[in-house]
DNA sequence: ATGAGTGGCCAC
DNA sequence: AAACGTGGCCACTCAT
């Protein structure tokens, strides 16, 4: 395929508008239209459409939005066929909807999603993809404004290179669809359907947003920063060093007689929390304390204050296609890694500042009634990855350990492994068992397992021997996955595993094929969460979901819907049919996320 | 001034 | 036989 002979056209007269509509009428009803937009920028809240482009494999039309948007509206009214976008659900369709142009979800296909599913190890970008599958020259496009005084915001729509660059995009999109569609249909239709549908739901989550207690964030920020400044002054005064300059701090501590043994990945002297905690020197303690508070203040509090909108809502981006396991990631801010340690008040605070939008700030905790004033609902799967390990292994003993309704899974497992029915929650053997489970899931070897469990390698070896004897299915699952991957390496040139749920390909880096075990488990968990989010959406909870966290979904629900929503969550997320052990989910609620210390912390802050 | 790389660290 | 996985984002350093 090449781009020879393509036609690029600009709609800037009535005649050309009619040309476009005539061209449209000649499209076959079963054909598709490529669709793309050029905008003033990337913000879906504040930026505007400059150019709308449609096309097929040979002809691309650029429609200047300000003067000729009526033409695009007319096209949307007339066209009954499919639409092909590249990141449409997350971008172009959002801009169009805001402009009052609604393209029905069921008519949309998307080449970014197709690429992510068909070739998860490759770049998903339109130009990069087109360079691979359409025309090598297409990969080098995208610098039309270089050497001009224009920006994406103020370039005239009629500037030749600009609109031509734009008009080419629907052509590329259309061609990519032609390339990908047969592959998707043959290889991974279910994964594609799942991913595409998920994008429409997560885009709504982004718009709905997360409510933040901005006032509390301001107070905490001031306090944290004041502390950091004092530490910096102290370090300067006493040691003439910046507490953030690790190597300089190391120098000083070395001069004071401390020796360092831990190295970083590249061989430098490590100065992480672990190392600092082991040094009895006032500088070490100050460096550590400042590092923690500085991180919290700048990553979260500063972000909350600067980026919440006028309704105190954050709108983080949810990327459904970032991780090779199909996990979703979240950015600006990354709300999937808000500190959770209850032992650290300062850290816990950051999570507690995510609050229910329907509760006014002055409403005292003891007068708050979730079913009256509204509530956050948090619904998370219990040990979903361990359940998937049991499912994949097929070991009856491990499967059984999930079927005692009144017994913790890891206690049940520990009792089997240690042959001791007296093991309870606090028994250290439960913790070792738990760590071993995650070691299996992550693909850890003996050494790393012993390390994480804090036991001698001999003891770890004995433990794993018993584990493997009791649950031979885990090793069988591991071996089968790897053997299959190596077979595929020979035939397809690529080591990969396939999702049992959607037939998705999980691709491993070379020499890290063992990671496929983890990809299957983590990826299946991710796919299950996506499936469940779609079910929740279909069950009517779409308007209130705002955040996925790998095995959990968060909702912000008005009071009159709280009970219904909680019941729906229970009903949808608990599932006895999907895999060979029951899937269990717990619903919790609160005025704040985290919520354990709540108002107490606000008082601490005020002090 | 900007960007890439590193080290560090939070989550699941 | 042996192999801990996936992300995002900060401060800092050194390069262009």
């Amino acid at each position: 395929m090449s781009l020879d002979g393509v036609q690029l056209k600009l709609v800037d007269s009535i005649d050309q508008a009619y040309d476009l509509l005539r061209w449209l009428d000649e499209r076959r009803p079963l054909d598709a239209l490529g669709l793309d937009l050029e905008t003033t920028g990337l913000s879906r809240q504040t930026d505007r459409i400059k150019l709308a482009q449609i096309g097929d494999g040979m002809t691309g039309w650029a429609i200047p939005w300000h003067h000729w948007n009526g033409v695009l509206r007319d096209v949307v009214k007339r066209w009954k066929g499919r639409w092909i976008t590249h990141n449409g659900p997350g971008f172009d369709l959002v801009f169009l909807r805001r402009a009052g142009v609604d393209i029905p979800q069921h008519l949309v296909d998307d080449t970014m999603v197709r690429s992510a599913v068909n070739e998860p190890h490759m770049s998903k970008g339109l130009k990069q993809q087109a360079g691979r599958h359409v025309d090598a020259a297409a990969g080098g496009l995208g610098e039309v404004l270089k050497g001009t005084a224009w920006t994406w915001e103020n370039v005239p729509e009629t500037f030749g290179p600009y609109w031509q660059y734009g008009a080419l995009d629907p052509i590329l999109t259309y061609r990519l669809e032609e390339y990908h569609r047969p592959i998707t249909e043959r290889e991974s239709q279910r994964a594609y359907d799942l991913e595409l549908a998920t994008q429409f739901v997560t885009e709504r989550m982004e718009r709905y947003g997360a409510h933040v207690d901005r006032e509390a964030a301001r107070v905490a920020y001031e306090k944290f920063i004041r502390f950091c400044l004092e530490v910096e002054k102290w370090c300067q005064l006493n040691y003439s060093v910046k507490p953030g300059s690790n190597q300089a701090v190391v120098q000083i501590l070395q001069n004071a007689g401390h020796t360092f043994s831990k190295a970083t990945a590249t061989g430098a002297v490590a100065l992480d929390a672990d190392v600092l905690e082991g040094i009895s020197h006032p500088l070490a303690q100050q460096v550590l304390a400042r590092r923690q508070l500085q991180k919290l203040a700048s990553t979260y509090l500063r972000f909350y204050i600067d980026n919440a909108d006028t309704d105190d809502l954050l709108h983080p981006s949810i990327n459904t296609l970032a991780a090779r396991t199909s996990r979703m990631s979240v950015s600006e801010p990354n709300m999937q890694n808000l500190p959770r340690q209850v032992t650290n008040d300062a850290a816990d605070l950051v999570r507690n500042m995510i609050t229910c939008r329907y509760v006014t700030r002055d409403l005292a905790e003891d007068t708050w009634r979730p079913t009256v004033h509204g509530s956050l609902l948090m619904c998370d799967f219990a040990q979903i990855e361990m359940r998937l390990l049991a499912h994949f292994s097929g070991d009856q003993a491990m499967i059984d350990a999930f079927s005692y309704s009144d017994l913790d899974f890891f206690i049940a497992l520990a009792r089997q492994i240690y042959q001791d029915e007296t093991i309870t929650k606090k028994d250290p053997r439960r913790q070792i068992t738990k760590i071993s489970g995650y070691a299996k899931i992550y693909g850890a070897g003996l050494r790393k397992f012993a390390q994480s469990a804090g036991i001698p390698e001999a003891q770890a070896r004995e433990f794993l021997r018993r584990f493997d004897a009791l649950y031979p299915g885990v090793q069988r699952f591991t071996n089968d996955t790897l053997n299959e991957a190596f077979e595929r390496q020979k035939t397809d040139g690529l080591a990969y595993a396939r999702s049992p749920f959607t037939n998705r390909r999980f691709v491993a880096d070379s020499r890290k094929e063992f990671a496929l075990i983890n990809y299957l488990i983590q990826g299946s968990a991710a796919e299950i969460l996506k499936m469940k989010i779609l079910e929740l959406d279909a069950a009517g909870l779409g308007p209130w979901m705002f955040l996925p966290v790998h095995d959990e979904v968060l909702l912000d629900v008005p009071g009159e819907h709280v009970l219904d929503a909680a019941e729906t969550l229970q009903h949808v997320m608990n599932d006895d049919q999907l895999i060979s052990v029951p899937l269990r989910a717990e619903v919790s609620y609160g005025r704040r996320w985290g919520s354990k210390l709540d108002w107490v912390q606000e008082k601490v802050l005020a002090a």
Side-chain angles (χ1 to χ4, degrees):
Chain A
M1 274 208 283
S2 88
L3 288 170
D4 291 348
V6 298
Q7 296 195 41
L8 305 177
K9 304 193 174 193
L10 176 70
V11 176
D12 64 350
S13 72
I14 293 284
D15 282 351
Q16 278 153 332
Y18 278 120
D19 279 352
L20 188 159
L21 293 176
R22 268 196 296 278
W23 172 86
L24 186 73
D25 286 341
E26 288 164 11
R27 300 298 95 202
R28 298 181 308 259
L30 288 179
D31 205 347
L33 273 189
L35 171 70
D36 185 50
L37 298 180
E38 300 303 320
T39 61
T40 54
L42 298 179
S43 166
R44 289 158 295 172
Q45 281 94 49
T46 54
D47 280 306
R48 293 171 293 103
I49 304 173
K50 284 175 71 83
L51 215 57
Q53 308 100 262
I54 61 170
D56 63 7
M58 286 309 288
T59 309
W61 300 83
I63 307 169
W65 186 257
H66 182 68
H67 288 296
W68 300 95
N69 70 78
V71 176
L72 194 272
R73 291 175 200 275
D74 219 30
V75 169
V76 171
K77 250 182 249 156
R78 291 185 189 209
W79 181 248
K80 302 299 176 210
R82 300 197 67 78
W83 296 88
I84 316 298
T85 61
H86 188 83
N87 194 24
F91 191 81
D92 308 82
L93 299 178
V94 182
F95 274 87
L96 285 174
R97 200 181 309 119
R98 221 182 69 203
V101 179
D102 223 340
I103 294 181
Q105 182 180 333
H106 71 274
L107 291 179
V108 174
D109 276 303
D110 194 89
T111 53
M112 196 171 88
V113 177
R114 288 207 192 272
S115 171
V117 166
N118 287 347
E119 40 182 12
H121 55 301
M122 310 285 263
S123 164
K124 298 181 289 289
L126 178 66
K127 295 291 189 288
Q128 291 94 324
Q129 272 201 72
R132 295 199 298 271
H133 305 309
V134 181
D135 189 319
L141 294 172
E143 299 197 337
V144 283
L145 298 186
K146 208 161 193 179
T148 75
W150 307 115
T151 66
W152 292 109
E153 183 164 1
N154 65 18
V155 58
E157 286 83 338
T158 53
F159 177 55
Y162 175 70
W163 72 257
Q164 287 158 15
Y165 162 87
L168 191 59
D169 281 349
I171 298 178
L172 298 179
T173 307
Y174 184 98
R175 297 270 193 103
L176 288 176
E177 174 72 2
E178 285 185 321
Y179 169 81
H180 279 302
R181 187 175 179 139
I183 301 172
T184 310
E185 285 174 349
R186 195 171 63 238
E187 299 270 325
S188 44
Q189 186 66 41
R190 288 196 305 279
Y192 172 72
D193 291 341
L194 178 67
E195 292 302 339
L196 185 60
T198 299
Q199 290 212 331
F200 286 96
V201 181
T202 53
E203 191 278 322
R204 274 175 70 180
M205 292 190 197
E206 292 175 348
R207 256 185 293 153
Y208 188 51
H211 188 259
V212 58
D213 188 340
R214 212 179 193 164
E215 228 3 81
R218 277 202 193 92
V219 177
Y221 179 78
E222 295 299 330
K223 188 170 176 178
F224 286 12
I225 288 299
R226 210 179 310 134
F227 175 86
C228 291
L229 285 175
E230 275 168 28
V231 171
E232 279 159 37
K233 257 192 279 176
W234 181 88
C235 290
Q236 197 62 51
L237 195 67
N238 294 289
Y239 300 97
S240 303
V241 72
K242 291 183 192 169
S245 299
N246 286 1
Q247 293 315 314
V249 171
V250 165
Q251 274 298 322
I252 291 172
L253 291 172
Q254 273 173 340
N255 293 343
H258 293 272
T259 52
F260 294 83
S261 49
K262 190 171 176 180
T264 68
T266 56
V269 176
L271 195 71
D272 58 23
D274 231 32
V275 173
L276 284 168
E277 275 163 15
I279 298 175
S280 54
H281 187 288
L283 181 59
Q285 314 318 314
Q286 295 296 313
V287 165
L288 187 57
R290 178 205 168 264
R291 192 186 276 172
Q292 287 171 343
L293 288 189
Q294 181 67 43
K295 173 75 178 177
L296 294 174
S298 51
T299 305
Y300 303 110
L301 302 180
R302 186 75 253 164
F303 197 96
Y304 291 173
I305 296 163
D306 290 348
N307 295 85
D309 66 16
T310 48
D311 295 317
D312 289 349
L313 295 171
L314 297 169
H315 299 278
S317 300
I318 301 172
N319 191 342
T320 60
L321 303 174
R324 62 169 83 208
T325 54
S326 96
R327 265 192 177 189
M328 293 179 267
S329 70
V330 173
S331 58
E332 295 182 296
N334 179 4
M335 293 191 54
Q336 291 182 321
N337 73 343
L338 300 195
R340 226 196 108 221
Q341 277 293 319
V342 186
T343 50
N344 183 341
D345 280 4
D348 193 43
L349 202 71
V350 169
R351 186 177 284 244
N352 271 277
M353 283 179 192
I354 303 302
T355 60
C356 172
R357 78 195 59 193
Y358 302 105
V359 182
T360 55
R361 195 168 182 285
D362 56 350
L363 188 60
E365 186 71 7
D366 54 2
T367 64
W368 169 64
R369 297 283 178 277
T371 53
V372 176
H373 302 288
S375 180
L376 295 184
L377 290 178
M378 286 78 74
C379 181
D380 68 311
F381 284 120
Q383 313 103 15
I384 185 168
E385 293 191 336
M386 285 308 304
R387 286 169 198 263
L388 283 163
L389 182 64
H391 171 72
F392 287 136
S393 76
D395 280 310
Q396 198 55 46
M398 195 183 281
I399 291 170
D400 286 345
F402 275 116
S403 31
Y404 310 109
S405 56
D406 54 344
L407 190 60
D408 172 272
F409 166 74
F410 291 112
I411 295 177
L413 214 59
R415 287 181 181 179
Q416 288 177 1
I417 294 169
Y418 288 102
Q419 298 272 299
D420 183 348
E421 290 300 310
T422 68
I423 293 177
T424 56
K425 187 117 191 171
K426 288 200 178 125
D427 195 304
R429 289 173 292 179
R430 176 189 178 276
Q431 187 62 14
I432 293 173
T433 305
K434 184 175 175 179
I435 292 170
S436 78
Y438 287 98
K440 294 285 182 193
I441 286 172
Y442 293 149
L446 172 67
R447 182 173 302 166
K448 286 291 173 69
F449 164 55
Q451 223 167 60
S452 347
I455 57 177
E457 286 193 19
Q459 192 183 328
R461 190 177 294 112
E462 177 58 15
F463 180 96
L464 292 179
R465 199 189 57 72
R466 297 173 71 95
F467 187 105
D468 293 339
L470 261 176
Y471 316 113
V474 174
Q475 278 192 322
R476 184 193 42 72
F477 163 60
T478 302
N479 292 338
D480 288 355
T481 301
L482 286 177
N483 287 337
E484 221 166 330
F486 289 130
E487 274 310 304
R488 286 164 173 158
Q489 174 104 58
K490 281 183 207 150
T491 54
D492 301 12
L494 207 60
Y496 62 91
R498 280 199 178 276
S499 161
F501 297 100
T502 63
N503 212 32
R504 169 199 307 272
R505 277 205 251 192
F506 296 115
V507 181
D509 287 346
S510 59
R511 295 192 299 278
K512 280 185 78 175
E513 288 83 4
F514 69 89
L516 287 169
I517 314 306
N518 176 260
Y519 294 177
L520 274 173
I521 293 171
Q522 186 183 116
S524 295
E527 291 187 325
I528 288 172
L529 184 67
K530 284 175 176 172
M531 296 190 289
K532 289 303 180 185
I533 281 174
L534 294 184
E535 277 188 57
L536 293 174
D537 183 54
L541 299 193
W544 304 309
M545 291 191 278
F546 69 93
L547 187 70
V549 194
H550 308 310
D551 62 355
E552 178 180 14
V553 58
L554 271 73
L555 301 89
D556 191 356
V557 185
E560 67 268 33
H561 295 294
V562 166
L563 281 182
D564 272 356
E567 202 172 305
T568 304
L569 283 168
Q570 291 282 8
H571 184 253
V572 170
M573 300 283 278
N574 283 287
D575 192 325
D576 291 348
Q577 309 304 321
L578 199 57
I579 58 176
S580 47
V581 299
L583 277 184
R584 285 290 166 263
E586 284 157 15
V587 178
S588 59
Y589 65 94
R591 201 179 150 269
R592 293 161 181 274
W593 192 16
S595 79
K596 294 291 184 289
L597 303 178
D598 226 1
W599 289 108
V600 180
Q601 296 217 338
E602 277 188 37
K603 284 171 192 155
V604 168
L605 272 178

